[in-house]
Amino acid sequence: SDIVKFEALSPAEFFRRNREIAGFSNPTRAIYQTIRELVENSLDATETFKIPPSIKIYIDYANQSKSWISIYAEDNGIGIPGNEIPNVFGRVFYSSKYRIKQHRGIFGLGAKMVVLYAQSTTNTPILVRSAPLKSDAIYEYQLMIDITKNEPVIVSQRTIENKHGWHGTAIKVVLEGDWIKAKRRVEEYLRRTAMVAPYAEFILRGPDEDDVIKIPRVTTKMPDPPKEGLPHPKSVDVELIKQLIQRDPNVPIFEFLIENFDGVGEIIAKKFLDFVGLQPDMPVGKLMNDELINFVTKMREFNEWKRPRADWLSPIGEDILAEGVRFVLRPEVVFTVTRKPSSYMGNPFIVEAALAWGGAIEPSDKPTIYRFANKVPLIYDEGNDIVRKIVDEIDWTQYRVKFPAPLAIVVHICSTKIPYASAGKEAIAEVPEIENEVRNAVREVARKLRLYITRKEKEQELLMKYAI
Ligand code: ADP
Ligand code: MG
């Protein structure tokens, strides 16, 4: 018949059907994306707590035709409380990272995409083993997802005595994929990850004998972990204000401002209330609907808020970044800069850049670019990224560079809110404030290169003079 039928779709079902928007578009990408999601969770679970990361990844064939691949990933992180394990892997949009703080994860999706993809292709559960810090027990689960309910299904569960004081998380998953094709991407991904995390060590063991890559830890220095923050008044919307009001509608609006937002002290709160025309002692729950909208509009317009704080961020730092780049690219020389914090729409961000020159870098017609967002390497979609655009706009002859040249540019953007262009997290959307900072950062390291090249040319001239 011609009756229109309506129905709801669960988040798990949505991502099962549309897995390409989360990066699982084909069997090669699926392997790369799986390893990436697991490694990023492992790095969050270690470096955010200043534990030097040790990450092991073992790949095996799980059937004769070699189209089923088993991926095992283990870390030495803070682990996951036993009772949280089912939701963390079995409920789309369940996360400990919905906070104002720099993380690699943001959506509460990655681990679940891995489970969804595995179960859609091989119908096998994920195996999770985890022990929180100082736990007497290791919790083990086999899990699947009830896709229509968006709920975990516990296939089996047991608790093992933690005899050796292990802490961390280990995961094993069997999925359909093409390891041979994915291998190069995965290796490149790890190499780039090591560039911005030289304090981590990685072992990647493939299915074939002697197929082992070890990336050692090259420094014990680690960046300071981020603190957890409050929203900046310029970043709010009506819905957020409504949620905050509901928590305590009786609190005077003056206190409401000071308690819930980043960088609002008594003086600024008073000034702002004057600006809006509200009494400081009015209970915040008394705001009527149009007053509420006006209040939020004024929050965005008011120009006297302090700048968003950057304590919620964890930049790599000039020294650590230089060590990572030196180790991975083996250049003749490297220059780095960590710019001062800046912000867009109330979200703090910091841009860092490295320029590597000569040595093992192959000369090419354009600078080679390495892009990172919250320490995550972005590998696909370079053509759409603002960094490519900005580096290509620069007139390099100004910096005494003549192509083909052995020149690599590394750009890292960290923020409490990275404006990713998609859920696969591969490119950064256009934000003028970020573009400006990227341009300034690249120019700053380029000027250091110019100085270096000039000096070197002078030295050579001098040597020539004496040689004659
Ligand atoms: P996100 O990383 O965006 O939060 P995920 O689905 O990848 O989303 O992970 C969900 C949650 O599971 C994380 O927020 C974290 O609390 C927990 N988690 C996942 N992997 C690990 C791990 N290796 N160690 C500790 N916690 C983890
Ligand atoms: Mg994640």
Side-chain angles (χ1 to χ4, degrees):
S1 74
D2 53 1
I3 295 172
V4 179
K5 288 212 174 101
F6 295 91
E7 59 190 326
L9 200 64
S10 86
E13 179 62 21
F14 175 83
F15 281 105
R16 186 190 67 75
R17 292 189 192 181
N18 300 294
R19 59 197 185 201
E20 61 287 345
I21 62 179
F24 291 72
S25 43
N26 61 56
T28 309
R29 263 306 272 279
I31 291 200
Y32 158 77
Q33 196 71 31
T34 294
I35 291 174
R36 184 179 154 174
E37 295 295 354
L38 298 178
V39 167
E40 279 157 28
N41 282 345
S42 292
L43 288 168
D44 275 343
T46 44
E47 65 183 21
T48 316
F49 305 89
K50 231 170 176 169
I51 302 169
S54 292
I55 297 172
K56 299 182 181 120
I57 304 154
Y58 302 152
I59 313 289
D60 273 304
Y61 294 123
N63 74 352
Q64 293 282 308
S65 76
K66 301 188 172 177
S67 65
W68 284 23
I69 310 292
S70 99
I71 299 174
Y72 172 88
E74 184 190 308
D75 65 53
N76 59 336
I78 57 154
I80 306 163
N83 58 337
E84 293 286 2
I85 292 174
N87 277 329
V88 149
F89 291 95
R91 192 186 295 277
V92 172
F93 302 145
Y94 193 88
S95 172
S96 61
K97 301 176 201 164
Y98 297 141
R99 306 260 139 194
I100 297 181
K101 186 177 180 178
Q102 177 184 331
H103 289 119
R104 295 170 193 248
I106 46 172
F107 296 124
L109 180 64
K112 279 69 81 174
M113 277 314 299
V114 172
V115 182
L116 278 174
Y117 186 81
Q119 107 180 35
S120 309
T121 56
T122 69
N123 197 33
T124 40
I126 187 174
L127 177 78
V128 183
R129 212 172 271 159
S130 191
L133 298 169
K134 303 204 170 84
S135 168
D136 297 333
I138 298 173
Y139 303 97
E140 188 187 278
Y141 283 88
Q142 280 187 290
L143 295 166
M144 294 182 87
I145 298 180
D146 180 330
I147 293 179
T148 46
K149 290 198 187 128
N150 189 31
E151 267 174 25
V153 176
I154 299 172
V155 178
S156 77
Q157 171 184 8
R158 66 180 179 137
T159 304
I160 312 160
E161 194 188 341
N162 188 8
K163 284 189 192 139
H164 306 290
W166 178 65
H167 60 85
T169 302
I171 282 157
K172 193 176 161 192
V173 64
V174 178
L175 47 82
E176 202 174 86
D178 189 332
W179 169 248
I180 298 300
K181 281 202 190 137
K183 187 172 182 255
R184 255 194 35 242
R185 285 276 174 185
V186 170
E187 288 170 1
E188 182 62 15
Y189 168 78
L190 287 182
R191 212 169 71 92
R192 293 191 188 201
T193 301
M195 211 187 270
V196 294
Y199 44 83
E201 60 180 4
F202 299 91
I203 296 177
L204 173 67
R205 198 187 68 198
D208 303 311
E209 232 171 289
D210 301 334
D211 188 4
V212 183
I213 291 183
K214 287 188 183 158
I215 302 178
R217 173 175 295 130
V218 294
T219 176
T220 51
K221 270 182 273 165
M222 287 182 78
D224 286 329
K227 296 195 179 77
E228 191 178 321
L230 293 169
H232 189 272
K234 269 204 191 299
S235 72
V236 304
D237 62 14
V238 176
E239 195 50 45
L240 176 74
I241 300 292
K242 271 171 33 190
Q243 288 173 15
L244 292 172
I245 291 175
Q246 259 163 26
R247 279 197 217 153
D248 188 0
N250 297 322
V251 71
I253 197 156
F254 175 68
E255 276 164 44
F256 174 80
L257 282 168
I258 293 170
E259 279 167 18
N260 288 302
F261 300 98
D262 173 26
V264 183
E266 295 187 6
I267 296 170
I268 291 179
K270 280 237 168 67
K271 269 197 185 166
F272 175 69
L273 290 172
D274 274 350
F275 177 67
V276 198
L278 291 169
Q279 291 303 319
D281 54 357
M282 172 183 152
V284 68
K286 288 259 155 66
L287 281 176
M288 294 292 110
N289 194 36
D290 38 351
E291 287 175 316
L292 190 68
I293 292 165
N294 181 44
F295 186 73
V296 172
T297 312
K298 289 269 161 48
M299 275 179 113
R300 298 224 197 95
E301 284 171 10
F302 189 61
N303 275 328
E304 292 178 65
W305 303 119
K306 278 192 213 141
R307 295 216 303 177
R309 249 188 289 180
D311 307 15
W312 334 139
L313 304 181
S314 174
I316 302 154
E318 293 175 354
D319 294 349
I320 300 177
L321 180 59
E323 282 192 74
V325 172
R326 214 175 279 130
F327 176 74
V328 174
L329 297 182
R330 309 252 171 231
E332 175 185 313
V333 66
V334 49
F335 305 105
T336 53
V337 62
T338 299
R339 300 271 310 164
K340 287 214 180 65
S342 184
S343 69
Y344 75 97
M345 293 163 73
N347 306 299
F349 72 91
I350 291 176
V351 173
E352 300 179 278
L355 181 155
W357 172 262
I361 298 175
E362 292 286 334
S364 57
D365 294 334
K366 271 188 187 189
T368 307
I369 290 179
Y370 297 92
R371 298 171 292 134
F372 298 87
N374 283 356
K375 299 178 191 151
V376 174
L378 311 180
I379 293 184
Y380 290 92
D381 271 1
E382 183 180 293
N384 287 326
D385 201 281
I386 54 168
V387 176
R388 178 84 260 173
K389 193 182 89 185
I390 288 165
V391 170
D392 287 351
E393 273 168 13
I394 289 177
D395 173 11
W396 286 95
T397 56
Q398 222 187 313
Y399 301 103
R400 305 190 134 235
V401 174
K402 287 182 215 85
F403 289 101
L407 175 61
I409 303 287
V410 178
V411 173
H412 176 228
I413 299 161
C414 62
S415 178
T416 48
K417 191 168 187 313
I418 297 275
Y420 285 112
S422 75
K425 298 186 282 192
E426 285 292 350
I428 295 181
E430 289 180 22
V431 174
E433 292 90 337
I434 297 184
E435 289 182 48
N436 274 339
E437 273 303 294
V438 169
R439 195 170 294 118
N440 289 337
V442 175
R443 285 201 182 130
E444 209 171 317
V445 286
R447 280 197 295 273
K448 294 184 193 174
L449 175 69
R450 179 173 56 203
L451 202 65
Y452 177 81
I453 293 178
T454 313
R455 276 201 192 130
K456 216 171 132 176
E457 282 173 358
K458 282 212 184 103
E459 268 168 32
Q460 251 149 15
E461 269 168 35
L462 222 64
L463 277 176
M464 292 290 278
K465 219 154 86 186
Y466 289 116
I468 293 164

